[in-house]
């Protein structure tokens, strides 16, 4: 039976799995219910090995092919965690937990990889082994880093890793990918400004931290506009300003700014970090204040290796048709902690269309279940193409 037809038959069952996960969202590493369901299903499918608790709450299933002489091991990764957002879809399978929802499609990613695992464990039409990787804490917790640091890739002998993420706005059945940087590094910035608080009617007796913060926020916008090469990409966004107090007539002693920096290369990342440090220090001193900068590098750039990106695009074209694959999609300034796995092994992340839906991280978003046969077919075809039976 052709792969696409097989997943058409499995579509209703996989949809049920997806909607159950959607209704019971879990955050960060606290994905015990989801991970438990994943492990239970992998064992029921007949996976040769199922390991739990990798990278704290990650799950890996190993499926050996009909033949194993090639010695090849390919890793396929899905993420399991949700977001701290109040859902506003009104759907029958909407979140049952207030303040938590699957607003990025990780429920769909998990369900599609489970569907592919079921098919691969049943058919085993490949020479080698596939590790299906279910990761926690993609949304800011660095679960990918934790699984790599836990020795997951070495333990299962993974030689290449592939990831997939849904993309709202791209039609269902289409794919998008590029070699090289696909998604940005995500760094955290926190600036604590200390001045001299006092009565708002006596500003000459104070060092006004809100004024310092305002100048600092404005000056930081010059980093991208006047420091970074216009042909490069960078984002500096200060997204939070918090003062020590909320009285209308008190100049606060301290102000804290928080934000994010996004870059697509290490060179630009270094340049931006250095420039931010200079602006923070000099602006504070110009007003007689003090400032402490914490610049934390979080997720690295998601970089697709050239050969693996071309291979993934070819597989997608074999599933959807050549005209349905954008092989040079523009990089996104969002971040992905699949980047940690790509730093450790060659591989590629690909986007699959979610259709005309709300954007990810929006309270009205829902993963499009029509994507399921497409995504499952891509995973299965990738394994059978990468490790053909001779």
């Amino acid at each position: 039976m052709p792969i696409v037809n097989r997943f058409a038959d499995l579509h209703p069952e996989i949809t049920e799995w997806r909607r159950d996960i959607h209704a019971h969202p879990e955050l960060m590493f606290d994905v015990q219910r989801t991970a438990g369901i994943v492990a239970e299903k992998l064992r029921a499918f007949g996976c040769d090995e199922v390991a739990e608790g990798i990278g704290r709450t990650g799950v890996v299933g190993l499926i050996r092919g009909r033949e194993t002489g090639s010695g090849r091991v390919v890793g396929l990764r899905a993420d399991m965690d949700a977001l701290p957002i109040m859902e506003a879809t009104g759907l029958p399978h909407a979140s049952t937990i207030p303040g938590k929802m699957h607003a990025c499609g990780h429920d769909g990613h998990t369900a599609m990889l489970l569907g592919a695992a079921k098919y691969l464990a049943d058919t085993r039409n490949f020479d080698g082994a596939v590790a299906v990787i279910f990761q926690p804490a993609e949304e800011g917790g660095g679960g990918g880093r934790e699984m790599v640091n836990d020795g997951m890739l070495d333990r299962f002998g993974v030689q290449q890793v592939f990831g997939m993420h849904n993309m709202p706005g791209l039609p269902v059945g289409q794919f998008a990918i590029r070699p090289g940087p696909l998604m940005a590094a995500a760094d955290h910035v926190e600036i604590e400004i200390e001045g001299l608080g006092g009565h708002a009617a006596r500003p000459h007796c104070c060092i006004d931290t809100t004024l310092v913060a305002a100048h600092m926020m404005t000056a930081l916008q010059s980093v991208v506009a006047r420091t970074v090469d216009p042909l490069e990409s960078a984002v500096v966004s200060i997204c939070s300003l918090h003062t020590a107090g909320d009285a209308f007539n008190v100049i606060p002693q301290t102000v804290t700014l928080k934000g994010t920096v996004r870059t697509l290369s290490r060179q630009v990342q270094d340049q931006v970090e250095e420039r931010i440090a200079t602006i923070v220090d000099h602006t504070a001193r110009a007003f007689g204040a003090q400032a402490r900068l914490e610049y934390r590098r979080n997720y690295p750039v998601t970089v697709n290796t050239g050969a693996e990106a071309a291979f993934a695009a070819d597989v997608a074209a074999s599933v959807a048709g050549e005209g349905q694959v954008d092989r040079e999609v523009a990089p996104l300034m969002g971040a992905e902690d699949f980047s940690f796995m790509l730093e450790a092994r060659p591989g590629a992340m690909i986007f699959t269309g979610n259709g005309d839906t709300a954007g990810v991280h929006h309270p009205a978003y829902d993963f499009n279940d029509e994507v399921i046969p497409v995504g499952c077919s891509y995973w299965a075809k990738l394994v059978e193409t990468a490790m053909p039976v001779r």
Side-chain angles (χ1 to χ4, degrees):
M1 180 183 295
I3 290 176
V4 175
N5 290 345
R6 175 62 183 272
F7 286 112
D9 291 342
L10 291 173
H11 191 180
E13 182 180 9
I14 300 172
T15 297
E16 288 182 10
W17 303 343
R18 201 283 295 183
R19 293 184 178 185
D20 175 69
I21 294 170
H22 185 95
H24 301 88
E26 296 173 302
L27 304 182
M28 299 288 279
F29 291 98
D30 187 21
V31 291
Q32 283 83 2
R33 181 185 187 275
T34 307
I37 289 171
V38 166
E40 179 183 6
K41 290 191 182 299
L42 292 179
R43 291 190 177 97
F45 299 160
C47 289
D48 298 282
E49 296 180 42
V50 178
E52 300 179 70
I54 299 179
R56 293 158 68 172
T57 49
V59 180
V60 177
L62 188 70
I63 306 168
R64 296 187 179 91
R66 184 190 314 162
E67 299 177 8
T68 57
S70 72
R72 295 281 306 282
V73 183
V74 171
L76 312 178
R77 174 269 200 177
D79 33 21
M80 297 186 289
D81 57 320
L83 283 157
I85 295 175
M86 182 68 73
E87 183 162 354
T89 64
L91 294 167
H93 58 271
S95 171
T96 59
I97 304 173
K100 300 179 184 180
M101 74 167 287
H102 273 287
C104 202
H106 297 185
D107 50 342
H109 303 164
T110 295
M112 289 191 296
L113 188 53
L114 281 173
K118 180 178 175 66
Y119 170 87
L120 293 167
D122 183 37
T123 59
R124 300 184 185 260
N125 188 33
F126 55 96
D127 181 357
V130 56
V132 287
I133 301 164
F134 296 85
Q135 179 208 304
E138 192 281 324
E139 298 291 357
R145 174 180 53 217
E146 294 300 309
M147 293 190 83
V148 170
N149 290 345
D150 209 4
M152 178 262 297
L153 297 173
D154 292 333
R155 173 176 174 179
F156 292 97
V158 175
Q159 298 159 354
Q160 295 172 302
V161 287
F162 294 89
M164 177 166 45
H165 202 292
N166 76 95
M167 177 180 276
L170 186 69
V172 174
Q174 293 188 15
F175 292 89
I177 193 170
R178 66 177 286 112
L182 179 72
M183 300 182 73
D187 298 341
H188 291 181
V189 175
E190 183 168 337
I191 304 162
E192 185 175 296
I193 304 165
E194 182 162 3
L196 180 62
H199 199 293
R202 294 170 56 82
H204 59 292
C205 297
C206 306
I207 298 174
D208 189 347
T209 50
T210 58
L211 180 64
V212 177
H215 278 266
M216 200 174 286
M217 291 175 67
T218 301
L220 288 173
Q221 297 311 304
S222 71
V223 175
V224 175
R226 289 295 179 268
T227 302
V228 175
D229 185 332
L231 298 180
E232 299 285 355
S233 298
V235 174
V236 176
S237 293
I238 301 299
C239 304
S240 170
L241 186 155
H242 180 75
T243 66
D246 57 5
F248 77 96
N249 60 348
V250 174
I251 291 174
Q253 178 80 12
T254 61
V255 168
T256 301
L257 303 176
K258 295 181 181 181
T260 184
V261 171
R262 306 298 173 103
T263 53
L264 289 172
S265 74
R266 180 63 62 85
Q267 178 183 355
V268 174
Q269 187 181 36
D270 292 343
Q271 185 182 26
V272 171
E273 180 178 359
E274 179 182 2
R275 188 63 182 153
I276 287 176
T278 300
I279 288 173
V280 167
D281 177 54
H282 288 195
T283 304
R285 288 196 288 119
F287 288 92
Q290 295 181 325
R292 179 189 60 82
L293 168 66
E294 180 183 350
Y295 190 104
R296 186 170 74 255
R297 298 195 178 192
N298 194 19
Y299 291 2
V301 182
T302 302
V303 180
N304 287 341
T305 47
E308 283 70 24
F311 172 72
D314 289 343
V315 170
S318 72
V319 171
E322 183 59 49
Q324 304 301 305
V325 181
D326 181 352
R327 294 172 178 261
E328 291 290 343
V329 68
L332 301 182
M333 299 311 285
E336 242 290 349
D337 79 342
F338 183 59
S339 54
F340 291 107
M341 297 186 193
L342 289 176
E343 284 192 326
R345 294 292 187 274
M349 166 71 76
I350 196 168
F351 297 122
T352 185
N354 202 57
D356 185 18
T357 66
V360 295
H361 293 218
H362 190 280
Y365 169 88
D366 187 40
F367 179 83
N368 189 339
D369 290 319
E370 295 306 309
V371 180
I372 287 173
V374 179
C376 292
S377 297
Y378 169 79
W379 282 138
K381 189 71 173 178
L382 186 150
V383 170
E384 293 178 352
T385 305
M387 300 180 289
V389 174
R390 303 298 180 185

